[in-house]
Amino acid sequence: MPDAPVRVLLLEQIHPDAVEILSSAGFEVDSLDGALDEDELVQRIAGVSLLGIRSKTHVTERVLAAADKLIAIGAFCIGTNQIELTAAAERGVTVFNAPFSNTRSVVEMAISEIISLTRRLTEKNALMHEGVWDKSATGAHEVRGRTLGIVGYGNIGTQLSVLAENLGMHVLFFDTADRLALGNAKRCLSMKELLGESDVVTLHVDGRPSNENFFGEDDFAAMRQGSLFLNLSRGFVVDYAALRAHIESGHIAGAAVDVFPVEPKRRGDEFVSELRGLGNVILTPHIGGSTEEAQQDIGRFVAGKLRDYVRDGSTAMSVNVPGLSLPRAGGTLRLILLHRNVPGVLARVNGLLADNGVNVEAQLLGTRGDVGYVVTDSASGTTQAIVDRIRALPETINLRVIF
């Protein structure tokens, strides 16, 4: 373990179990409820070794430049588009996320919204609160026998496919990647095919920059008359002005939206959107994965990844550096080297060790794009002078020593 204390900064109400895991590892943990903007984070990041965020805090190149001790970032959520991943890797900062922990929560919310919109429960609920008794079946339907179109057939899309089929829905999906259809789901060869055949369209795409404005006017126009639309993926992928126009015209019968291009930083701040005030539209404050069960699982998973990275250098499931996990032998010293991925680095490291009589007990190398990662264990003989020479190599990005 490093001699200096490992300082941890957690933002955005990360689950207490994460605090407990990191504190139990001997780290100094500071946990804040809200997000920080760029200027605020620049002021707080100095001296921090581990940073934990959710979706509202953005880790920019300016933040990374101010981070003098940062070695890892934990995104306590699925998405990592709020982090400059390449810039982080270039500065020796490893990033982890939670790609599976809140999948079930998002899927259950999507199912509940599909049923609520199909039965028009939002409108019945609003009328009841106004004292109006409107007992009528007009416009209300069962989901059984209706067709669900899933755009994005990843972890969430596939699980939603299975549950929707169990409810008696027909399932179509479209994905740019080659995905295996589960159950009786049918793959569509184009978005146009899916939109023209679906009673409900739901988006589950990722946050890559190329998905900005992914779904717009032409796509809404291609949807079936009276169909429903859901977005529980990313706010910037949809043209919400176009959605409003199609709801007001009656072409789209209802919608459920959980994510927005601009979201308030803190609980209680004003929410502004062109979708406010529309009938049969469910608006939620980015809570698709916000169940107590999911947040606990995410807290435990990501905190464990951060702890293991500090203790053993394990980068398994990292999103921006090679994923390696080398079992630790007792009594060894471990060198953790992030370096530029050019030929000859491993040979130079091993040459320095061999020239000084250091025997390598175990070693693992991985590369990913422009970054390489080497984990090296030695039983004895690795002196500070050797460490300094490896650190001075022009290809070295970051070198840590774990005893």
Side-chain angles (χ1 to χ4, degrees):
M1 293 289 292
D3 293 331
V6 175
R7 288 184 53 203
V8 183
L9 177 61
L10 302 179
L11 308 175
E12 304 183 63
Q13 291 184 308
I14 289 171
H15 196 276
D17 280 13
V19 178
E20 174 61 27
I21 288 170
L22 296 169
S23 297
S24 296
F27 306 160
E28 297 179 359
V29 182
D30 188 10
S31 182
L32 306 181
D33 285 344
L36 297 180
D37 62 26
E38 185 181 53
D39 288 338
E40 292 170 328
L41 189 52
V42 166
Q43 293 297 317
R44 294 293 298 264
I45 199 67
V48 171
S49 301
L50 303 175
L51 174 65
I53 63 171
R54 294 176 68 187
S55 58
K56 291 185 178 65
T57 301
H58 289 257
V59 182
T60 63
E61 291 195 48
R62 180 170 167 240
V63 170
L64 292 166
D68 56 341
K69 300 292 184 181
L70 193 64
I71 60 171
I73 299 169
F76 286 74
C77 52
I78 294 177
T80 56
N81 56 295
Q82 72 276 36
I83 303 168
E84 294 286 349
L85 295 177
T86 301
E90 290 172 349
R91 292 181 177 273
V93 178
T94 301
V95 179
F96 300 96
N97 70 335
F100 312 115
S101 298
N102 66 0
T103 300
R104 179 70 182 200
S105 296
V106 176
V107 168
E108 287 189 5
M109 184 161 147
I111 289 288
S112 70
E113 290 179 335
I114 291 168
I115 294 172
S116 295
L117 292 170
T118 304
R119 293 293 302 272
R120 304 191 78 87
L121 298 183
T122 55
E123 294 174 327
K124 299 297 183 184
N125 175 68
L127 289 171
M128 290 291 283
H129 280 284
E130 294 171 3
V132 178
W133 183 266
D134 181 27
K135 180 176 168 58
S136 169
T138 303
H141 301 277
E142 295 180 352
V143 297
R144 181 180 55 177
R146 297 176 80 78
T147 300
L148 173 65
I150 301 173
V151 181
Y153 206 62
N155 298 325
I156 293 173
T158 51
Q159 191 169 145
L160 176 59
S161 173
V162 172
L163 291 187
E165 188 174 318
N166 286 337
L167 289 173
M169 300 188 79
H170 306 296
V171 178
L172 306 176
F173 73 91
F174 174 76
D175 199 303
T176 55
D178 190 15
R179 305 285 189 180
L180 175 67
L182 300 184
N184 292 318
K186 173 189 172 186
R187 182 189 185 106
C188 292
L189 299 180
S190 68
M191 277 273 288
K192 184 177 180 181
E193 178 187 356
L194 179 142
L195 297 177
E197 297 184 21
S198 299
D199 299 299
V200 182
V201 173
T202 180
L203 301 189
H204 300 286
V205 300
D206 62 30
R208 69 187 69 181
S210 60
N211 280 336
E212 185 172 1
N213 297 320
F214 169 80
F215 203 96
E217 169 60 34
D218 292 344
D219 302 295
F220 287 118
M223 289 175 61
R224 296 177 64 175
Q225 177 70 31
S227 56
L228 304 171
F229 175 80
L230 285 77
N231 182 22
L232 286 78
S233 60
R234 301 290 187 274
F236 64 84
V237 305
V238 175
D239 180 350
Y240 286 134
L243 173 59
R244 181 182 183 97
H246 280 270
I247 292 173
E248 289 179 327
S249 72
H251 176 225
I252 304 297
V257 178
D258 186 51
V259 287
F260 305 88
V262 179
E263 298 180 355
K265 280 202 311 177
R266 294 178 176 85
R267 184 178 180 181
D269 289 352
E270 183 183 6
F271 164 66
V272 178
S273 172
E274 55 267 82
L275 299 178
R276 286 172 52 179
L278 293 172
N280 206 30
V281 173
I282 301 172
L283 302 179
T284 49
H286 204 149
I287 57 170
S290 294
T291 61
E292 292 184 7
E293 293 86 355
Q295 291 308 305
Q296 183 178 55
D297 285 345
I298 290 170
R300 291 174 174 177
F301 182 85
V302 179
K305 291 294 182 184
L306 294 174
R307 176 201 60 204
D308 293 346
Y309 180 61
V310 174
R311 284 180 168 178
D312 299 319
S314 173
T315 55
M317 297 184 68
S318 168
V319 297
N320 71 329
V321 303
L324 301 181
S325 183
L326 181 65
R328 187 82 182 271
T332 59
L333 177 146
R334 174 162 287 189
L335 297 178
I336 304 294
L337 175 63
L338 270 169
H339 62 87
R340 293 173 184 83
N341 183 21
V342 297
V345 175
L346 185 61
R348 279 191 285 278
V349 169
N350 286 341
L352 282 169
L353 295 174
D355 289 345
N356 288 274
V358 178
N359 186 51
V360 173
E361 302 288 334
Q363 190 172 62
L364 201 57
L365 165 69
T367 62
R368 182 173 184 167
D370 295 330
V371 176
Y373 187 51
V374 182
V375 180
T376 304
D377 288 348
S378 62
S380 62
T382 304
T383 64
Q384 184 62 48
I386 297 172
V387 171
D388 290 341
R389 289 186 66 182
I390 297 174
R391 187 168 282 133
L393 291 174
E395 298 85 5
T396 294
I397 297 173
N398 185 31
L399 176 67
R400 288 197 296 131
V401 182
I402 302 175
F403 296 97

